[in-house]
Amino acid sequence: MIQCYKKRSLRRSVGECLTIFLFAAMISCSTAEEQDQIAVSEAEETFPQTIMEPVERDFADIKQRGTFRMITYYSSNTYFLNQGIEVGFEYELIREFTRENDLALEVVIVGADENPFELLNSGAGDVIAANYTITPERRELAQFTRPYNLVNQLLVFSSDLNPMPGSLEEIAEREIPISVRRNSSYYLKLQELQDEGYDLNIQLLPDELDTEATLVEVAQGNLMATVADDNMFDATNRYMDGLFPGPTIAEKDTIAWAIRDNAPDLENKMNQFLYKHFRFTEDRDRPRRSTFLNILRQRYFQEGPQIAQYYNPEWQYQTMGIISPYDEMIRSVADSMDVDWLMITAMIAQESEFNPNSKSWMGAVGLMQVIPRFVTTDYDDLYDPLTNIEEGVRIFKEHLNHYSYMDSTNQVAFALAAYNAGMGHVADARRLAIDQNKDPNEWENVADALLKLMQRRYYQQARHGFARGIETVQYVDEIMNRYRTYETIMALSERQQNRTLSGIIGNRNLNMP
C-alpha cells in the first residue's frame, strides 16, 4: 500500500499520492531479481540515432483542427490528476497558451515503449512539454522554443549513505553508483565530468523511469545517488524523507518546449507567448518572470504553502479513486445502465470539477450539473452525489439511445452535444447540415453547423433559435480528449498494480487537511 506523510507542516493530497504510485511503481520493490533489472547496459539503452521526418503541420493547420496536443509524462511537475482535476506546471503553462489562442488542449501521455520525439514528428502531438533541457543531441531531433526556465543540476544522495560524500573526488574514490537514464541531459553531463578526469561510476536506468520516480528509489535506499534539476529536487524533497542534496554539477541549464523543426509559425507563436512570461535581462542570473509564471513556480516547486491546494477543496478527500473521489460510485451507476464509466467521469470533470455543491448560472446543480426542471427528484436531493450521478447518467443514456443507429464514436459525440445544448439545438444543426448537402450523422458536419447557428442568418431560420455552438463543440472535444487521457492513465495504473510495492517511504501516514 502506498502511503504519504506530512513533512515540514506541508500536506500531500490523495491525488498526488496516486501520482507517486504511478511513476514509482515502474520499478517493483518486491523481488531482488527485479531490483537487479533496474540498471541496464549502455548497449541496451541508446539515444535514438534516427527519427522520422516530421509531418507537415504548422500553426494554421493546428488552428483549423482546433486542438493543440501536448506530449508529456505523467508526473507531479508536468501533468497529473489531483482527485480528477488536471494539474501540473507544464500543463498549466501550455493551457494558458491554448487559452490565448482559442484552442482546445489534448494531453498525450508518453507510454513506456514510446519515444516522445517520434510522437512529435509523426503528428501525434504538437509540442513536447516535459521540463526538457536543451542539448545538442535533442536539437538534432526537434526545434526548441525560447527558454521558460533556468535550472541547476545537482547530485542527490540516499540518506543511507554514511558518511555523506562532500565532493566529486570523494564520490569517484568511493565508487558510489550514480543512476541516471541514458536518454537524459544528466547522463551527458556525467560523461563530460568523466572526460574532465572524474572516474564516476555511472549506472544506467530504463528510460521509462523518470526523474521523480528515480528520486523515490533513492529515498528508499534502492539506489544510492542520482542527478536532478534543483527545482525537481526541491519539489520532491517537500514530501519525501531520505534525500540529501550533493554538489551542483551544472548551472543555468535552459528549459524549453520541443516542436517540429518545420513549424516556424508555431515556433513564432510559442516564442511570443513565452517572451511575455520569461525573458533574460542584462543580469542573466536573474531573468524576469511574469506574475503568472511566478505563481506556477510557487505552486509546484518552491517552498511555502502550496497554492495547489486551491485545486483540492476539502470535499475532494471524502474517498479515493484512480481518477476521482467518486470512481466506485460512478462505476456502479454507469455499469447498472450499461454506460462507460470513464466517459461519465470525463463529463463530471467538465461539468463540475467533481464539486457536488456546484451550481451554474443556468441553475444546473451537482456533479453532473442536472437542471432541476428536467427531473422529478427533489431539488435538495440533487446535491447528493449518488442521486445526481444517477439522474445525470439516466439523461445521458437517453441521449445515447436516441442516437443508437450511429457508429459508436458519433453516437457518443451527439449524446454529449445533446447533454450540453439540448436535443433541439442538435436537431437544428443536423437540419442545417442537410441543407448544405452534408451527412447529418457525422459529428464533424454537425459541429460545423452548430458554429453557424451563432450567426444571425442561420439561427433566425432555426426552430430553436440561437445556439452557443462554440461552447458545445468545445464541450464535446474536451470531454473526448479527457476520456482518452483517462484511458491511458487507467492502463498505466492497471499495469503498475500488477507489481508489488512495499510502500514508498516505509510506514507513514497520509495527513489530510
Side-chain angles (χ1 to χ4, degrees):
M1 178 179 179
I2 296 206
Q3 297 175 308
C4 298
Y5 67 101
K6 184 176 179 181
K7 183 181 179 183
R8 301 177 188 167
S9 301
L10 295 174
R11 295 181 173 93
R12 197 70 175 171
S13 75
V14 175
E16 291 170 287
C17 294
L18 171 64
T19 303
I20 300 304
F21 169 82
L22 289 175
F23 52 69
M26 288 182 178
I27 310 180
S28 171
C29 304
S30 58
T31 67
E33 179 183 357
E34 287 172 321
Q35 286 303 309
D36 291 340
Q37 295 173 352
I38 290 179
V40 296
S41 70
E42 184 168 350
E44 291 174 314
E45 290 293 333
T46 58
F47 203 86
Q49 298 299 311
T50 61
I51 204 76
M52 67 176 61
E53 287 295 317
V55 299
E56 296 290 337
R57 185 179 300 154
D58 208 341
F59 185 75
D61 305 298
I62 295 169
K63 189 70 175 175
Q64 183 177 11
R65 185 180 63 202
T67 302
F68 189 69
R69 294 170 179 157
M70 163 190 172
I71 301 168
T72 193
Y73 292 90
Y74 193 89
S75 71
S76 67
N77 59 79
T78 54
Y79 168 85
F80 66 100
L81 296 180
N82 195 355
Q83 293 296 276
I85 307 303
E86 295 173 294
V87 292
F89 178 86
E90 298 284 358
Y91 173 77
E92 290 205 50
L93 192 56
I94 289 286
R95 186 180 63 181
E96 182 65 13
F97 171 77
T98 59
R99 185 193 65 79
E100 290 187 7
N101 288 278
D102 196 25
L103 292 165
L105 176 58
E106 180 176 353
V107 177
V108 179
I109 298 174
V110 180
D113 300 321
E114 292 179 321
N115 182 299
F117 292 99
E118 290 181 356
L119 291 174
L120 176 68
N121 286 321
S122 69
D126 302 308
V127 64
I128 301 174
N131 198 60
Y132 269 6
T133 301
I134 302 175
T135 65
E137 290 77 9
R138 286 173 176 165
R139 282 193 182 277
E140 295 179 3
L141 304 175
Q143 178 68 18
F144 279 84
T145 64
R146 62 179 294 115
Y148 58 88
N149 202 6
L150 290 176
V151 297
N152 298 331
Q153 292 184 22
L154 72 156
L155 288 164
V156 181
F157 303 116
S158 169
S159 59
D160 290 351
L161 274 176
N162 189 21
M164 201 63 63
S167 66
L168 289 174
E169 290 81 4
E170 183 180 354
I171 295 168
E173 181 180 344
R174 292 170 58 182
E175 299 184 346
I176 297 171
I178 305 172
S179 303
V180 295
R181 300 185 311 280
R182 169 66 179 82
N183 294 350
S184 69
S185 59
Y186 309 140
Y187 175 72
L188 299 176
K189 182 59 184 179
L190 291 176
Q191 281 191 315
E192 289 179 12
L193 292 174
Q194 285 184 326
D195 293 340
E196 293 173 12
Y198 296 100
D199 188 17
L200 300 175
N201 179 11
I202 303 175
Q203 182 182 63
L204 295 176
L205 298 173
D207 282 340
E208 66 182 21
L209 195 68
D210 67 17
T211 302
E212 196 160 4
T214 303
L215 289 171
V216 170
E217 293 298 316
V218 173
Q220 288 182 300
N222 298 323
L223 302 174
M224 288 297 100
T226 190
V227 182
D229 293 341
D230 55 356
N231 60 344
M232 298 181 71
F233 168 77
D234 290 341
T236 306
N237 198 43
R238 292 170 65 183
Y239 61 85
M240 187 177 299
D241 282 334
L243 298 174
F244 190 88
T248 296
I249 61 174
E251 294 184 340
K252 300 178 181 60
D253 282 346
T254 51
I255 304 296
W257 293 328
I259 59 176
R260 288 180 289 273
D261 60 13
N262 61 349
D265 293 341
L266 176 60
E267 180 185 2
N268 183 52
K269 281 285 186 181
M270 302 200 85
N271 283 340
Q272 288 176 357
F273 170 79
L274 291 172
Y275 183 77
K276 296 186 300 183
H277 297 289
F278 183 95
R279 69 185 73 169
F280 290 110
T281 61
E282 292 183 1
D283 182 3
R284 187 180 173 88
D285 293 342
R286 302 183 64 181
R288 182 179 302 169
R289 295 181 175 90
S290 69
T291 300
F292 174 75
L293 190 59
N294 279 327
I295 289 174
L296 291 187
R297 280 162 50 82
Q298 183 176 356
R299 181 176 293 162
Y300 292 104
F301 297 123
Q302 296 178 351
E303 293 286 348
Q306 292 183 0
I307 301 177
Q309 293 298 328
Y310 166 81
Y311 291 104
N312 309 303
E314 292 183 1
W315 49 263
Q316 290 192 328
Y317 294 102
Q318 294 173 2
T319 58
M320 179 179 176
I322 298 297
I323 302 296
S324 80
Y326 302 100
D327 281 4
E328 292 307 314
M329 186 182 297
I330 296 169
R331 190 194 296 265
S332 176
V333 175
D335 288 351
S336 71
M337 300 189 195
D338 194 26
V339 176
D340 189 330
W341 79 276
L342 279 181
M343 183 61 67
I344 299 300
T345 308
M347 291 174 65
I348 293 175
Q350 187 77 16
E351 293 284 356
S352 66
E353 295 188 340
F354 301 98
N355 181 357
N357 299 315
S358 177
K359 180 178 179 180
S360 76
W361 67 274
M362 288 282 290
V365 301
L367 290 173
M368 296 195 69
Q369 291 293 276
V370 176
I371 298 178
R373 69 176 181 273
F374 293 153
V375 298
T376 58
T377 304
D378 290 342
Y379 177 81
D380 290 342
D381 290 341
L382 289 176
Y383 286 99
D384 173 67
L386 178 59
T387 301
N388 194 280
I389 293 171
E390 288 174 339
E391 290 291 353
V393 174
R394 179 187 60 78
I395 294 171
F396 183 62
K397 177 66 172 179
E398 290 177 357
H399 294 320
L400 287 172
N401 290 340
H402 183 78
Y403 301 109
S404 60
Y405 55 88
M406 298 180 178
D407 65 75
S408 59
T409 301
N410 280 305
Q411 179 191 20
V412 171
F414 276 88
L416 288 171
Y419 192 92
N420 175 260
M423 295 186 68
H425 288 306
V426 176
D428 284 346
R430 298 184 72 195
R431 281 190 287 268
L432 180 55
I434 293 173
D435 291 343
Q436 297 181 333
N437 296 317
K438 295 180 180 179
D439 187 349
N441 295 333
E442 289 291 331
W443 169 245
E444 182 178 348
N445 299 333
V446 175
D448 181 67
L450 277 167
L451 297 178
K452 287 183 169 62
L453 287 175
M454 298 175 66
Q455 303 174 34
R456 180 178 179 83
R457 63 177 174 141
Y458 292 109
Y459 73 70
Q460 66 183 1
Q461 304 296 328
R463 182 175 302 175
H464 296 87
F466 173 84
R468 292 188 300 276
I470 184 64
E471 176 184 309
T472 301
V473 171
Q474 289 180 343
Y475 177 88
V476 174
D477 286 348
E478 289 175 7
I479 289 177
M480 297 293 279
N481 292 342
R482 185 177 291 109
Y483 172 77
R484 287 189 287 269
T485 301
Y486 285 177
E487 282 189 313
T488 302
I489 293 170
M490 288 301 298
L492 178 61
S493 173
E494 289 168 5
R495 184 169 67 248
Q496 305 312 335
Q497 285 176 352
N498 292 329
R499 298 171 182 264
T500 303
L501 293 178
S502 61
I504 285 186
I505 314 295
N507 295 321
R508 289 163 176 156
N509 296 321
L510 176 67
N511 290 273
M512 296 298 187

